[in-house]
């Protein structure tokens, strides 16, 4: 099992560019989510999905789109990057939405927007 | 909305000693889970310990234990016999639709 994988590990974008951060898991987890981590802050929830075809917004969804066409993949799209989106992005997955389930985190993607 | 507060931005402890990291939270729910995560410089998020709110018994995992005070909405982490490998950022988190994190405590282990 590879667990939760994220690509790329690092990315630099110019303001206004678009890109997709990839996240995949091979544990057959129904629940997947995206967080961002800014200096001096904990992780904040961007979007989450409780299964293929179902997504919902978290605490900081503006500027990001998601879709869930398969159980394994949950990409995060930045349509028009802004310097405020400079952050480290983490993808996580768990068996389900139930609070008891442990969330497994990917290694993160460090994104810089200039 | 739930909030999680970690009031200690940084803590320092001598190797082999015990340290306690504080966490308070706010929620109107009666059944929930609380977690402590460790983030070393590699930035990987590692689950340290979890607590179910309806369980009165405090969770323990080897050298890590919690002091869960439901009425006070307090969830502190105690690390016994601190080791150099314990040096990291520690985040307290509450799970609802996703995880709500505190801002973290940077733990320094002095050799």
């Amino acid at each position: 099992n590879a667990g939760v994988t994220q690509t790329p590990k690092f990315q630099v974008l110019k303001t206004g560019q678009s890109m997709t951060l990839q996240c995949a898991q091979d544990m057959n987890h129904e629940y997947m989510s995206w967080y961002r981590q800014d200096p001096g802050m904990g992780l904040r929830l961007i979007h989450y999905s409780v299964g293929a075809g179902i997504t919902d917004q978290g605490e900081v969804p503006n500027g990001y789109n998601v879709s869930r066409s398969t159980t394994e993949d949950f990409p995060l799209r930045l349509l028009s990057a802004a310097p405020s989106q400079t952050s480290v992005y983490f993808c996580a997955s768990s068996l389900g939405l139930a609070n008891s389930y442990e969330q497994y985190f990917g290694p993160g993607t460090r994104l810089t927007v200039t | 909305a739930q909030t999680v507060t970690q009031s200690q931005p940084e803590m320092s402890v001598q190797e082999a000693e015990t340290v306690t990291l504080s966490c308070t939270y706010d929620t109107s729910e009666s059944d929930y889970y609380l977690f402590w995560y460790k983030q070393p410089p590699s930035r990987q998020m590692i689950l340290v310990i979890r607590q179910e709110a309806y369980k009165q018994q405090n969770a323990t995992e080897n050298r890590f234990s919690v002091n869960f005070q439901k009425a006070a909405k307090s969830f502190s982490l105690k690390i016994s016999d601190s080791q150099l490998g314990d040096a990291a950022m520690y985040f307290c988190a509450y799970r609802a639709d996703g995880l709500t994190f505190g801002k973290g405590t940077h733990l320094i282990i002095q050799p």
Side-chain angles (χ1 to χ4, degrees):
Chain A
N1 272 359
V4 180
T5 58
Q6 291 182 236
T7 56
K9 284 188 168 46
F10 302 92
Q11 182 70 50
V12 179
L13 289 179
K14 290 187 181 342
T15 297
Q17 287 185 318
S18 63
M19 81 158 294
T20 299
L21 306 186
Q22 301 293 344
C23 175
Q25 51 88 13
D26 60 359
M27 299 174 281
N28 203 31
H29 284 174
E30 290 295 323
Y31 178 93
M32 296 184 74
S33 55
W34 278 101
Y35 295 84
R36 61 177 288 173
Q37 183 178 25
D38 301 304
M41 304 284 289
L43 281 67
R44 291 182 292 169
L45 182 66
I46 303 172
H47 285 286
Y48 65 96
S49 168
V50 299
I54 306 169
T55 64
D56 207 344
Q57 296 181 350
E59 180 186 353
V60 288
N62 292 341
Y64 306 96
N65 278 358
V66 293
S67 60
R68 184 98 179 270
S69 56
T70 68
T71 299
E72 295 77 20
D73 301 297
F74 189 44
L76 179 72
R77 297 184 188 83
L78 284 71
L79 299 177
S80 179
S84 61
Q85 294 178 304
T86 293
S87 190
V88 178
Y89 291 85
F90 289 93
C91 180
S93 74
S94 64
L95 269 175
L97 179 61
N99 296 338
S100 60
Y101 292 132
E102 176 181 351
Q103 289 206 35
Y104 295 82
F105 284 83
T109 294
R110 181 177 293 278
L111 175 67
T112 301
V113 183
T114 61
Chain B
Q2 296 83 13
T3 59
V4 178
T5 302
Q6 293 179 249
S7 58
Q8 305 153 316
E10 187 172 280
M11 293 282 285
S12 181
V13 64
Q14 291 289 128
E15 194 176 2
E17 292 188 347
T18 295
V19 63
T20 299
L21 309 184
S22 301
C23 173
T24 58
Y25 60 95
D26 188 22
T27 182
S28 57
E29 302 292 329
S30 59
D31 189 17
Y32 48 88
Y33 279 73
L34 296 162
F35 303 83
W36 277 97
Y37 279 87
K38 171 185 178 181
Q39 187 180 43
S42 68
R43 80 175 179 224
Q44 182 67 45
M45 296 293 289
I46 302 164
L47 178 64
V48 174
I49 199 165
R50 83 181 89 185
Q51 174 76 42
E52 303 167 68
Y54 69 88
K55 283 191 176 179
Q56 292 187 335
Q57 186 174 6
N58 290 324
T60 300
E61 290 284 345
N62 300 314
R63 297 183 295 107
F64 298 87
S65 61
V66 299
N67 183 4
F68 174 51
Q69 304 288 331
K70 190 173 183 179
K73 296 181 181 173
S74 170
F75 181 59
S76 60
L77 175 69
K78 186 171 86 169
I79 306 174
S80 303
D81 186 26
S82 298
Q83 300 176 0
L84 294 177
D86 295 334
M89 286 292 295
Y90 285 82
F91 293 97
C92 177
Y94 169 103
R95 180 148 190 192
D97 293 329
L99 288 165
T100 299
F101 286 86
K103 293 186 177 182
T105 297
H106 181 211
L107 179 63
I108 297 167
I109 310 295
Q110 305 277 6

